[in-house]
Amino acid sequence: MKLTKQFNWTHLKWLFWLSPMLVITGAIAGMVAGSWVGIPSGLIVAGLVIFGLWLAFLIYTQPNFWSRRSTQSGTNAILATLAVLAILGMVNFLAVRFNHRIDLTENQIFTLSPQSQEITQNLQQPVKVTIFSATPNPIDQQLLDNYRRLNSNFSYQYLDPQKEPGLAREYQVQTIGDVFVESGTNRRSIQTLTPEEKLSERRLTNGIAQITNSQPQKVYFLQGHGERSLEGGQGGFAQASQRLTEEGFQGAPLNLAENPEVPADTTVLVIASPQRALLESEVSALRNYLKRKGGLMLLIDPQTDPKLNPLLEEWGLQMSDRIVIDPAGEASGLGPGVTIINQYGDHPITRGFGNGISFYPLARPVQQRQIEGIQAASLLITSDRTTAQQVAENGELKFDAATDPKGPFAIGYALSRAVQPEPAPSPSPSPSPSPSPEASPAPSPTAEASPSPSPSPSPEATENQGESRLVVIGNSGFATDGIFGQQLNSDVFLNSMGWLSQRDDQVLAIRPKEVNNRRIVMSPQQQLSAAGLSLALLPAIAFTTAGFVWWKRR
Amino acid sequence: MGIVLSNIIAIYRRELQSYFASPFAYIIAGVFWLLSGFFFVSILFSPEGLIAQVAVRDQVGITEPPIDVAYQFLTVFLGVLGSLALFILPMLSMGLYSEERKRGTIELLATSPVTNWAVALGKLLGVVTFFTTLVLPLMIYQAIALSAANPSAPPTVMLLGHFALILMGAGILSLGMFISSLTDSTIVAAILTFGLILLLWVVDLIAGAIGGPVGAALGHLSLVKNYTNLTQGIVDTSSLIVFLTYIVLGLFLTAQSIEAFRFQRN
């Protein structure tokens, strides 16, 4: 009897080590799996049960185990250690929770600008930033952490588009490094990160400000002259209107015949293929509208004359009365008269289209001559195989190989003109055509002019009152229901709308935080002495003393 | 209270004397200064160094973004010093208790009327003082370099960075002291300490792989993250608290370990 008991003890003693092993395995499994249901909790419970059995066994075999002094002090030590660990853990938890940071860098480069701080602190609903990149940049992360520290409603995530193709498709990710801001159902792409281009505080803050601003921008569609309607059906703009709503615009019909004035809340006015002439009063309402900040989209089909030519002439535009005939349209089976575009001008609207296709059933060429103070860029350029043909009285095409002009033609233009300040005391409008940053090929984010929200009367604030912008396309069919969703047609329409609305330019002027430009200027003599001190003198002192002490000890 | 304080000071003085009387400590100092000097010269003056690189950039005519050479030099150099400290600190802490164990003097310490934590604190203060004397001379030539900055650079970031270095050093030394109290082999103590601080140095990589709240908690323990926070010029209270936690934890565990040693002998 006594022998068997001895035998049991020696072996069962080692079984005790299963307990911590099981507990640790369970904890690691739970951490890795992220859920504690099932196997992880089972392992931990099994470990604890074995520990309990071991204690019971100890009490059974060694009744005086608990009264021993070593057990008492050992238990005390374990309890005290656990208590200290818990206290230190709690202190650190609180320290992270109520974290305070003082930025001692010279220009406070790690601190958000006051505008960003204010906007972030006032966030009422959750805002999430999603960056489609597999490798987070630490500097970007630091910036995002600065936002998150200010408000728990702000969060961010990095997603690898290769690992999450479904999400990448849902977000319509174009390239790796796309950054999206979303709040509720609104989502907006704000930037594309490259190794050279870091996350910009200006863009991020503006993106947050815009996405949380629930006030939709008004887009009016002129009606009353046989224009495309916003209702569904053949030739309607229902799909376009639907997509505008998703982009944070609000489409509404507008009739200028009753009150010949464009409403003050108009962001963009669309005139989509009027079949009949506009009234004189309506044209002058448009002219007045184009004197202030705003956007006008003119989609004018061939064989119509809305009597807008005097207005267009002020912008240097001329609508040809010919029809573009594209052999590619016939060949691709879309039908004769369909113009296929795969060349685009260099403009914010068409940037990123590459050689993608958009197509336009029955388009007319648009010509433009330079006018001082107006920035113009051709958007849609037909191929050089196209011709422009006249239409005869009977509606047939008059083909004349000798006189018909050959492509390429532009069938779309984007124009902008700085809003002139109201004729104020100073009667000299600056004669130099100020180059609009939007029309230049590569607008650098710092150079982009923006209305400053600060009340201080800076010189830019008086000069910069936005722009009146105009997009003219010699076709309206490309945005009608059924065709709108195909190829790049919707992008042409929506990007134009985005540019016309100037929503991306309603930015808060946030100066990027930069360090002082500073150099270390040392003469060769100074360099030599600093190098000598660091490399030779200090180590020599130490080694000599070491030798001296060693010799003395000997 | 006064007795405890005078006990601590007595231990502290004994520790310091042992450092400044041993050739070993001077050799460590010489190696540390030599390596630091080498990195100082190569970061600043070598053909691939900051001054030469920025000079090339200026000649080409790149002006954006502006560069603060002084600030950049400080962050890079302090980062290098932090990594160097990884190798130096285990050598400083390894003998703190294991030497006493080997010589048998630990029995005296454990049974003396001086409380265990007072002994530990005195020893820690001694070794931190020694580490500080290693670091301070480096500031002389950094100050020479910074005084050549144009426009002149404020010394805030340099001072904060070196404070961070010493604070982090104190945390590591405190943990190293605990490890040294576990074994009577100085080599084992040094290797274990080196392994531990290497783990704490890269723990944010592990934390990033785990993710979630556990990952965040682990990442908070990271030495390199909290250290760079401070050397960049941000006084982050949570980073300060992490280092203080390491110091307190090391002291407490050392005291516990000596206490356990006493009962083992009994």
Side-chain angles (χ1 to χ4, degrees):
Chain A
M1 187 66 202
K2 205 177 179 187
L3 257 174
T4 40
K5 200 173 170 185
Q6 197 65 34
F7 175 79
N8 276 344
W9 162 236
T10 48
H11 284 78
L12 281 174
K13 190 171 72 174
W14 297 106
L15 273 180
F16 155 71
W17 289 104
L18 270 176
S19 162
M21 274 160 63
L22 284 174
V23 170
I24 291 170
T25 323
I28 291 174
M31 271 184 221
V32 174
S35 101
W36 298 90
V37 192
I39 297 174
S41 55
L43 286 171
I44 293 173
V45 168
L48 293 177
V49 166
I50 291 178
F51 182 71
L53 285 176
W54 177 71
L55 282 184
F57 181 78
L58 275 184
I59 294 163
Y60 174 70
T61 51
Q62 297 167 299
N64 59 347
F65 173 76
W66 287 108
S67 50
R68 271 203 250 152
R69 200 168 167 210
S70 68
T71 315
Q72 276 179 354
S73 74
T75 325
N76 279 344
I78 289 172
L79 283 181
T81 311
L82 286 180
V84 166
L85 282 177
I87 290 169
L88 290 177
M90 205 62 202
V91 166
N92 276 280
F93 177 75
L94 292 176
V96 173
R97 213 54 196 284
F98 302 100
N99 187 15
H100 193 69
R101 285 161 73 94
I102 308 163
D103 191 345
L104 288 185
T105 52
E106 214 177 346
N107 294 345
Q108 312 236 300
I109 44 175
F110 297 107
T111 310
L112 293 181
S113 68
Q115 294 103 314
S116 303
Q117 288 188 14
E118 192 188 331
I119 282 173
T120 314
Q121 272 161 352
N122 292 336
L123 284 181
Q124 301 296 329
Q125 71 251 51
V127 169
K128 192 157 96 184
V129 173
T130 306
I131 299 162
F132 281 91
S133 167
T135 47
N137 177 333
I139 300 173
D140 293 348
Q141 265 186 312
Q142 207 158 26
L143 180 67
L144 289 163
D145 282 333
N146 281 341
Y147 279 90
R148 197 177 50 183
R149 250 177 238 118
L150 289 173
N151 194 325
S152 56
N153 275 331
F154 180 92
S155 63
Y156 71 88
Q157 61 175 355
Y158 276 86
L159 288 178
D160 186 349
Q162 256 123 36
K163 280 189 194 147
E164 313 263 2
L167 275 175
R169 206 170 306 126
E170 193 196 318
Y171 278 79
Q172 297 178 334
V173 175
Q174 313 258 330
T175 50
I176 289 177
D178 277 0
V179 185
F180 295 87
V181 178
E182 61 187 309
S183 171
T185 55
N186 294 333
R187 179 185 298 155
R188 185 168 299 177
S189 164
I190 51 165
Q191 198 184 357
T192 301
L193 303 181
T194 58
E196 295 81 39
E197 194 182 336
K198 291 187 298 177
L199 189 63
S200 139
E201 185 189 340
R202 186 183 67 92
R203 289 184 188 221
L204 192 54
T205 299
N206 281 304
I208 295 170
Q210 283 166 16
I211 206 128
T212 49
N213 184 3
S214 50
Q215 202 70 268
Q217 292 172 297
K218 282 270 189 175
V219 175
Y220 284 106
F221 288 79
L222 188 69
Q223 301 289 317
H225 321 87
E227 284 95 345
R228 305 275 184 187
S229 90
L230 291 179
E231 313 294 322
Q234 185 78 29
F237 263 26
Q239 280 185 333
S241 163
Q242 169 70 27
R243 282 296 299 277
L244 282 179
T245 314
E246 288 169 16
E247 300 275 321
F249 294 102
Q250 188 186 16
L254 175 71
N255 205 321
L256 282 181
E258 297 155 14
N259 179 17
E261 194 174 349
V262 180
D265 61 349
T266 311
T267 309
V268 181
L269 176 61
V270 181
I271 303 181
S273 188
Q275 302 297 315
R276 297 181 289 279
L278 271 70
L279 299 175
E280 197 59 46
S281 61
E282 291 175 309
V283 176
S284 69
L286 292 180
R287 190 172 282 128
N288 284 335
Y289 172 63
L290 284 176
K291 282 183 185 146
R292 62 179 209 238
K293 185 185 170 194
L296 175 62
M297 180 185 265
L298 282 177
L299 310 175
I300 301 178
D301 280 323
Q303 302 296 294
T304 58
D305 183 12
K307 299 270 185 256
L308 282 170
N309 288 345
L311 182 69
L312 292 174
E313 181 54 34
E314 292 170 22
W315 290 74
L317 286 164
Q318 203 194 342
M319 309 292 291
S320 159
D321 54 358
R322 289 167 184 260
I323 294 181
V324 179
I325 299 295
D326 187 355
E330 181 111 50
S332 62
L334 289 165
V338 175
T339 308
I340 293 185
I341 302 273
N342 58 11
Q343 288 178 65
Y344 301 92
D346 185 26
H347 191 267
I349 295 177
T350 48
R351 197 163 295 148
F353 281 9
N355 284 328
I357 291 172
S358 56
F359 63 96
Y360 304 82
L362 287 185
R364 68 202 286 177
V366 184
Q367 284 128 28
Q368 208 266 349
R369 66 184 166 81
Q370 275 299 328
I371 285 193
E372 198 174 300
I374 291 179
Q375 307 292 318
S378 54
L379 292 178
L380 313 165
I381 301 154
T382 67
S383 77
D384 49 9
R385 291 165 64 206
T386 52
T387 50
Q389 300 182 7
Q390 263 179 326
V391 184
E393 300 295 317
N394 58 5
E396 299 271 316
L397 283 173
K398 281 198 295 189
F399 177 67
D400 184 349
T403 58
D404 281 349
K406 305 251 182 320
F409 309 105
I411 62 166
Y413 262 96
L415 304 98
S416 60
R417 183 174 65 188
V419 170
Q420 296 298 322
E422 295 295 313
S426 71
S428 63
S430 73
S432 65
S434 66
S436 153
E438 275 73 34
S440 70
S444 79
T446 46
E448 206 161 315
S450 54
S452 161
S454 63
S456 65
S458 62
E460 293 96 43
T462 51
E463 256 175 43
N464 211 323
Q465 303 193 336
E467 290 177 328
S468 54
R469 293 182 171 179
L470 181 62
V471 166
V472 178
I473 295 176
N475 172 270
S476 70
F478 77 98
T480 53
D481 293 351
I483 299 176
F484 180 77
Q486 295 185 32
Q487 304 294 350
L488 286 176
N489 283 14
S490 62
D491 296 84
V492 172
F493 184 80
L494 293 173
N495 287 8
S496 303
M497 204 55 84
W499 180 73
L500 286 170
S501 68
Q502 306 183 37
R503 57 158 48 159
D504 294 330
D505 312 329
Q506 294 178 341
V507 289
L508 303 166
I510 297 171
R511 212 170 56 83
K513 289 282 170 88
E514 280 174 346
V515 295
N516 282 353
N517 210 13
R518 174 173 289 138
R519 301 283 177 269
I520 291 181
V521 190
M522 289 176 101
S523 66
Q525 201 106 43
Q526 284 171 311
Q527 291 195 8
L528 203 66
S529 60
L533 174 65
S534 61
L535 255 181
L537 188 61
L538 270 180
I541 293 174
F543 287 128
T544 322
T545 323
F548 176 72
V549 170
W550 173 77
W551 179 79
K552 218 174 98 178
R553 271 193 170 187
R554 221 167 58 120
Chain B
M1 191 64 208
I3 299 167
V4 174
L5 206 63
S6 63
N7 282 340
I8 291 174
I9 290 169
I11 302 269
Y12 171 68
R13 285 180 57 177
R14 197 193 71 148
E15 274 307 306
L16 273 189
Q17 271 165 10
S18 77
Y19 279 120
F20 289 106
S22 96
F24 178 68
Y26 288 105
I27 288 173
I28 290 183
V31 170
F32 181 63
W33 286 342
L34 187 68
L35 288 175
S36 313
F38 168 73
F39 283 112
F40 171 77
V41 171
S42 72
I43 288 171
L44 216 48
F45 304 136
S46 79
E48 292 87 37
L50 266 176
I51 290 181
Q53 267 183 359
V54 174
V56 169
R57 193 171 169 268
D58 286 345
Q59 271 168 11
V60 176
I62 305 170
T63 51
E64 288 293 324
I67 286 190
D68 186 343
V69 177
Y71 177 70
Q72 208 152 4
F73 157 70
L74 272 180
T75 45
V76 172
F77 188 61
L78 281 166
V80 169
L81 284 187
S83 317
L84 270 183
L86 283 192
F87 297 93
I88 296 296
L89 291 170
M91 289 187 225
L92 296 184
S93 71
M94 65 183 182
L96 281 175
Y97 273 93
S98 50
E99 201 69 28
E100 310 254 7
R101 281 179 88 123
K102 207 157 64 182
R103 277 189 261 143
T105 43
I106 191 157
E107 316 242 327
L108 286 174
L109 276 181
T111 50
S112 74
V114 184
T115 49
N116 290 328
W117 68 265
V119 176
L121 185 59
K123 277 177 172 288
L124 183 64
L125 283 177
V127 74
V128 169
T129 310
F130 181 69
F131 182 59
T132 311
T133 49
L134 287 192
V135 168
L136 285 182
L138 309 184
M139 284 175 78
I140 301 172
Y141 52 79
Q142 288 177 68
I144 292 176
L146 288 193
S147 65
N150 176 34
S152 63
T156 339
V157 175
M158 182 178 89
L159 294 174
L160 180 67
H162 286 80
F163 170 71
L165 183 63
I166 291 167
L167 189 66
M168 181 181 74
I172 293 175
L173 289 171
S174 183
L175 292 178
M177 179 170 71
F178 164 60
I179 290 176
S180 122
S181 77
L182 295 176
T183 168
D184 48 13
S185 157
T186 47
I187 298 295
V188 170
I191 290 174
L192 283 180
T193 311
F194 182 67
L196 176 73
I197 61 178
L198 205 61
L199 188 73
L200 288 177
W201 191 255
V202 297
V203 76
D204 53 342
L205 296 182
I206 305 165
I210 293 176
V214 180
L218 273 180
H220 175 66
L221 298 179
S222 160
L223 288 174
V224 69
K225 195 186 86 178
N226 292 304
Y227 177 62
T228 36
N229 235 351
L230 291 166
T231 53
Q232 279 175 337
I234 306 168
V235 183
D236 189 322
T237 47
S238 73
S239 295
L240 296 179
I241 299 242
V242 167
F243 291 138
L244 288 177
T245 301
Y246 284 140
I247 296 174
V248 171
L249 189 67
L251 280 174
F252 172 79
L253 288 177
T254 310
Q256 288 289 325
S257 146
I258 299 304
E259 188 80 5
F261 174 84
R262 201 169 77 184
F263 279 107
Q264 270 171 17
R265 285 300 153 108
N266 283 358

